[in-house]
Amino acid sequence: MKFFIDTANVDEIREAYDMGIICGCTTNPSLIAKEGRDYTETLKEIASFLDGPISGEVKADTVKAEDMIQEGREIASISKNMVVKIPMTEEGMKAVKVLSKEGIKTNVTLIFSATQAILAARAGATYVSPFLGRLDDISSDGMILIEDIMEIFSMYPEIETEVICASVRHPIHVVQCAKTGADIATVPFKVLKQMMHHPLTDIGIEKFIADYRKVFSN
């Protein structure tokens, strides 16, 4: 399973990229707004060093297919590795169809059912992003959604759409997603850091340092 980072904080993206643990990035207008930066300029900066897929989303109030298509073309023009993030709506599927035929990669977001994922794949989506954490928030098991999508997609070899596990809240989500064979998990920087740490690792490092100093302190 590959890892994307889910943030618009350029410093976090650089750090994760420098560690070699991510191969892409997902953003949205809300994440970029939190950073207080210009949307297009932020995407350009990310694309200046990250050579993997970068999802840039159409505006939240863009609801017509023709407007999504126009914005999608503008996003795609930023860099060859840009992916246009489109919401799972009827108009969104129309936009995905047109953009995919133009060779522009798309990521259909706000997927909460297997049927939505199937329709997005058939419309030509490069990626679908099922949101497991938000389902957990309403006392529904988000992992069942990931399992269903992976099982269904595996039965139809002609489906090339990759599954991005989104709304990942903790390391256990990551392990569970990996067990389903999901293609990608897009993970907040905080969770990526949690994945790297274990108390026994920390204790072991401290012991190695102490033992080293006992022998070589002089």
Side-chain angles (χ1 to χ4, degrees):
M1 186 173 71
K2 295 174 287 188
F3 289 100
F4 290 174
I5 186 169
D6 190 35
T7 183
N9 184 300
V10 176
D11 291 336
E12 291 180 348
I13 299 168
R14 283 185 186 276
E15 185 172 346
Y17 184 66
D18 287 345
M19 286 188 286
I21 59 177
I22 63 164
C23 61
C25 172
T26 54
T27 69
N28 59 51
S30 296
L31 288 173
I32 292 180
K34 286 180 182 178
E35 301 302 318
R37 300 191 53 187
D38 177 79
Y39 187 69
T40 301
E41 290 305 312
T42 302
L43 293 177
K44 286 181 178 179
E45 184 174 356
I46 296 168
S48 71
F49 65 89
L50 181 61
D51 53 9
I54 303 166
S55 286
E57 191 167 346
V58 298
K59 295 185 182 72
D61 59 354
T62 302
V63 295
K64 293 292 185 182
E66 56 266 31
D67 296 327
M68 292 184 193
I69 293 165
Q70 180 57 39
E71 286 185 27
R73 289 169 179 157
E74 292 171 0
I75 291 169
S77 70
I78 293 172
S79 172
K80 60 180 175 55
N81 52 326
M82 291 302 305
V83 178
V84 181
K85 213 169 180 184
I86 302 282
M88 179 63 214
T89 64
E90 294 176 19
E91 292 293 299
M93 294 305 93
K94 294 175 186 177
V96 167
K97 176 185 176 182
V98 172
L99 292 172
S100 64
K101 285 188 175 181
E102 294 180 3
I104 294 173
K105 293 182 179 181
T106 56
N107 174 5
V108 177
T109 188
L110 293 171
I111 297 284
F112 290 98
S113 72
T115 53
Q116 289 177 324
I118 296 167
L119 292 176
R122 290 308 186 190
T126 312
Y127 306 99
V128 291
S129 291
F131 280 44
L132 63 146
R134 293 196 193 183
L135 285 171
D136 288 356
D137 290 344
I138 60 167
S139 301
S140 182
D141 189 344
M143 285 311 306
I144 292 176
L145 172 61
I146 307 297
E147 292 168 359
D148 285 347
I149 294 171
M150 293 308 303
E151 181 180 356
I152 292 167
F153 280 18
S154 70
M155 296 173 68
Y156 299 93
E158 72 274 17
I159 294 180
E160 298 180 354
T161 304
E162 292 190 81
V163 177
I164 302 176
C165 299
S167 188
V168 171
R169 300 288 170 79
H170 46 69
I172 294 174
H173 271 162
V174 176
V175 174
Q176 291 173 325
C177 288
K179 286 182 176 181
T180 71
D183 303 288
I184 301 154
T186 187
V187 184
F189 187 63
K190 175 184 175 181
V191 176
L192 285 172
K193 294 195 77 171
Q194 288 173 337
M195 291 167 60
M196 283 185 281
H197 291 281
H198 191 284
L200 292 180
T201 302
D202 297 338
I203 291 170
I205 290 172
E206 290 175 4
K207 186 176 188 306
F208 288 162
I209 291 172
D211 291 345
Y212 179 87
R213 287 174 176 168
K214 285 178 184 176
V215 177
F216 299 105
S217 59
N218 296 324

